[in-house]
Amino acid sequence: SIEMDLLHSNGVLIIQHLQRDYRAYQDFLNFMSHVGDPRNIFSIYFPLWFQLNQVVGTKMIWVAVIGDWFNLIFKWILFGHRPYWWVQETMIYPNQSSPCLEQFPITCETGPGSPSGHAMGSSCVWYVMVTAALSYTVRWKDKSAVTLHRLTWSFLWSIFWIIQISVCISRVFIATHFPHQVVLGVFAGILVAEAFEHTPAIQTASLRMYIKTNLFLFIFALGFYLSLKLLDIDLLWSVPKAKKWCANPDWINIDTTPFAGLVRNLGALFGLGLGINSEMFITSCKGKNSCKISFRILCIAASLATLQLYNFVKIPTHTEYLFYILSFCKSAAMPLTVVALVPYCVHLLMRTTEKKLN
């Protein structure tokens, strides 16, 4: 439509302005784009929070998975273009050459652009973290504590918005998103996170409930895709555009395709359910050691170190279906490691040490 073309063309002007006048901040903006990467939720934020507060850690995974699932469905419904290919194909510049937008190694995402998955993932997980931190201070009753709570509230929400704005600017700067797409992503993420503030049932969900949820999310997404495909609507229309207009073919990554994100998130949710309902979790995280600060610190350090090793596990991409299966397994292994394997090993280590001291 004319209105959407005008919105996109104004967005291109903003991108050109950022790339021209904020060149000195390129490294910082690229870093903030990585900060907003939804994969950091599973490898950094979740290991930290789960060992500090299992309720918050569990909620974080649910919010991330359901939020990213909604993001996928919205992307398929909205058919949002990305700037780096839109400027090459639009007919809004008939009498002049298309604007030149610089591309970066992290520019060439292959899925549709609206709403921004990075902005949505960042806002939902940081919303969970900020509200969790504030839940500790809201209980303070005396006058001085109330003042401290208000200062903490202002500080944490200021940090929240600084991070979200920085992530949004970074995604626009690298020509991956238009401004309206990142704004939509931020507020969509907040809505998903707020919805889970009133969903306590996830804390007592059985393994069967995790499996049912996984099956529902997968079947709905696959059914939605196949139904529209029968109507000759290709929901993977963005992939060939990305391959065609990406400045460097090596920057195209199968990990950014719509189904790759879906499989990754379903694996993480399944791994969480498997871990929480395992005997190793009950023995270690529900035992007497779970209250010890030393136990939690060791679990955090060991979890973060172990998860970094997963980065060295490269999944073969030559066969798409094999990639999806292995990606599911790898994603499931990460929360399972944090929730059950690492705490159980730390529990055994501390028990052995206590026996030797006695």
Side-chain angles (χ1 to χ4, degrees):
S1 66
I2 297 176
E3 292 81 5
M4 189 57 67
D5 283 340
L6 288 174
L7 188 62
H8 285 159
S9 62
N10 288 332
V12 168
L13 292 176
I14 293 174
I15 295 170
Q16 288 181 306
H17 168 69
L18 289 174
Q19 292 187 345
R20 182 182 64 249
D21 298 338
Y22 288 79
R23 174 66 56 192
Y25 304 100
Q26 177 180 328
D27 292 339
F28 170 75
L29 293 173
N30 285 334
F31 170 74
M32 290 308 301
S33 187
H34 286 294
V35 168
D37 192 330
R39 285 169 289 196
N40 289 333
I41 298 170
F42 308 118
S43 61
I44 299 176
Y45 304 136
F46 171 66
L48 284 170
W49 274 96
F50 187 82
Q51 306 302 346
L52 295 174
N53 189 315
Q54 293 169 11
V55 172
V56 178
T58 301
K59 185 194 300 181
M60 187 177 291
I61 291 291
W62 277 88
V63 166
V65 170
I66 301 300
D68 208 52
W69 183 83
F70 273 115
N71 182 263
L72 173 64
I73 300 301
F74 288 151
K75 283 180 184 293
W76 280 347
I77 293 174
L78 297 177
F79 279 76
H81 290 275
R82 293 187 185 271
Y84 75 92
W85 76 58
W86 181 83
V87 294
Q88 303 292 342
E89 297 191 342
T90 182
M91 303 304 294
I92 202 173
Y93 307 106
N95 299 320
Q96 54 184 315
S97 59
S98 300
C100 181
L101 298 182
E102 184 175 355
Q103 296 183 24
F104 303 86
I106 55 176
T107 294
C108 300
E109 302 249 349
T110 57
S114 186
S116 166
H118 279 64
M120 192 168 175
S122 176
S123 65
C124 73
V125 73
W126 278 92
Y127 188 93
V128 169
M129 290 193 288
V130 169
T131 53
L134 290 175
S135 66
Y136 291 103
T137 63
V138 75
R139 302 167 191 164
W140 300 340
K141 299 298 182 182
D142 57 275
K143 191 173 181 179
S144 60
V146 170
T147 302
L148 182 59
H149 167 71
R150 289 173 179 172
L151 290 173
T152 305
W153 187 94
S154 300
F155 174 74
L156 290 179
W157 283 117
S158 297
I159 293 296
F160 172 86
W161 284 111
I162 288 172
I163 290 174
Q164 303 321 310
I165 291 171
S166 299
V167 170
C168 289
I169 291 175
S170 72
R171 301 302 287 171
V172 175
F173 174 83
I174 63 175
T176 295
H177 289 291
F178 291 103
H180 69 277
Q181 295 173 342
V182 292
V183 172
L184 180 60
V186 168
F187 288 102
I190 291 173
L191 287 176
V192 172
E194 179 59 29
F196 275 89
E197 291 291 319
H198 312 285
T199 314
I202 61 174
Q203 302 298 334
T204 56
S206 63
L207 180 58
R208 177 177 293 183
M209 179 58 66
Y210 277 91
I211 294 174
K212 285 182 177 179
T213 303
N214 256 18
L215 288 174
F216 171 78
L217 296 177
F218 178 74
I219 291 172
F220 185 96
L222 183 62
F224 187 72
Y225 169 77
L226 294 176
S227 298
L228 291 184
K229 192 171 184 178
L230 290 174
L231 298 174
D232 289 330
I233 300 175
D234 183 14
L235 294 180
L236 299 181
W237 59 274
S238 60
V239 177
K241 288 184 181 292
K243 292 180 177 178
K244 180 179 180 181
W245 297 114
C246 184
N248 186 338
D250 293 336
W251 295 347
I252 296 290
N253 191 340
I254 190 175
D255 200 31
T256 66
T257 59
F259 278 112
L262 175 65
V263 169
R264 182 173 58 246
N265 286 303
L266 294 183
L269 188 62
F270 176 72
L272 175 66
L274 200 60
I276 283 181
N277 291 279
S278 68
E279 286 297 325
M280 287 188 291
F281 171 76
I282 295 171
T283 301
S284 55
C285 294
K286 296 296 183 181
K288 61 178 183 179
N289 282 332
S290 62
C291 298
K292 297 179 180 178
I293 298 297
S294 57
F295 173 79
R296 296 188 179 187
I297 292 176
L298 284 172
C299 285
I300 290 173
S303 295
L304 290 173
T306 305
L307 291 185
Q308 298 315 305
L309 297 178
Y310 281 99
N311 294 329
F312 295 101
V313 179
K314 301 301 180 183
I315 300 176
T317 59
H318 58 275
T319 304
E320 192 169 358
Y321 293 112
L322 177 62
F323 172 83
Y324 291 145
I325 293 171
L326 295 178
S327 180
F328 178 90
C329 295
K330 179 181 176 181
S331 299
M334 295 176 73
L336 182 61
T337 298
V338 174
V339 172
L341 297 178
V342 165
Y344 187 70
C345 290
V346 172
H347 165 75
L348 293 179
L349 177 64
M350 294 182 70
R351 190 175 66 177
T352 303
T353 304
E354 289 173 357
K355 287 182 178 179
K356 287 181 178 181
L357 292 175
N358 293 332

